[in-house]
Amino acid sequence: QVQLVESGGGLVQAGGSLRLSCASPRIIFEIYVMGWYRQAPGKQRELVATITKDGSTNYADSGKGRFAISRDNTKGTVNLQMNSLKPDDTAVYYCNANYNLANYWGQGTQVTVSS
């Protein structure tokens, strides 16, 4: 069973920042496309950002210019720096690892942005 472990969620005021981190097994980190998704109450899970093993990134329009996904190759973690947070960013954020037909999820971390 592949375990992805998220950390860094919490409560922040609008305009503030949070940094999420996802730890995965080394083999997963080195091969898979890693990403962050989020799910707000009553809504479908949606893409936030992804990063390939080579460092290529992709962002949903909602986070462009505010969010930055990165890889720490020393620690084997994938990070999501979130700046200028808005109440609409409130959701459970999930780490994802994807490779061909294999798809794994973390348990999720709550991000709450107060107005």
Side-chain angles (χ1 to χ4, degrees):
Q1 184 73 16
V2 173
Q3 281 194 315
L4 305 178
V5 181
E6 301 107 333
S7 60
L11 173 64
V12 65
Q13 288 188 331
S17 299
L18 281 175
R19 184 178 178 86
L20 306 182
S21 184
C22 173
S24 68
R26 194 73 194 183
I27 188 65
I28 298 295
F29 177 79
E30 291 180 350
I31 295 175
Y32 282 53
V33 175
M34 303 296 295
W36 288 95
Y37 290 71
R38 68 186 185 186
Q39 187 167 16
K43 295 187 177 181
Q44 289 188 331
R45 193 171 297 188
E46 63 178 11
L47 169 73
V48 176
T50 60
I51 187 167
T52 69
K53 62 183 178 66
D54 300 318
S56 296
T57 59
N58 179 53
Y59 293 93
D61 288 344
S62 59
K64 285 181 180 177
R66 300 189 299 126
F67 296 174
I69 189 170
S70 62
R71 299 166 63 94
D72 186 326
N73 292 326
T74 300
K75 296 181 180 179
T77 59
V78 176
N79 305 305
L80 183 69
Q81 178 67 41
M82 303 187 293
N83 301 323
S84 302
L85 283 162
K86 307 173 183 179
D88 284 350
D89 295 318
T90 295
V92 177
Y93 284 70
Y94 295 91
C95 180
N96 175 265
N98 181 268
Y99 180 73
N100 288 341
L101 298 180
N103 197 43
Y104 302 105
W105 296 95
Q107 80 285 357
T109 185
Q110 177 70 46
V111 171
T112 303
V113 184
S114 62
S115 57

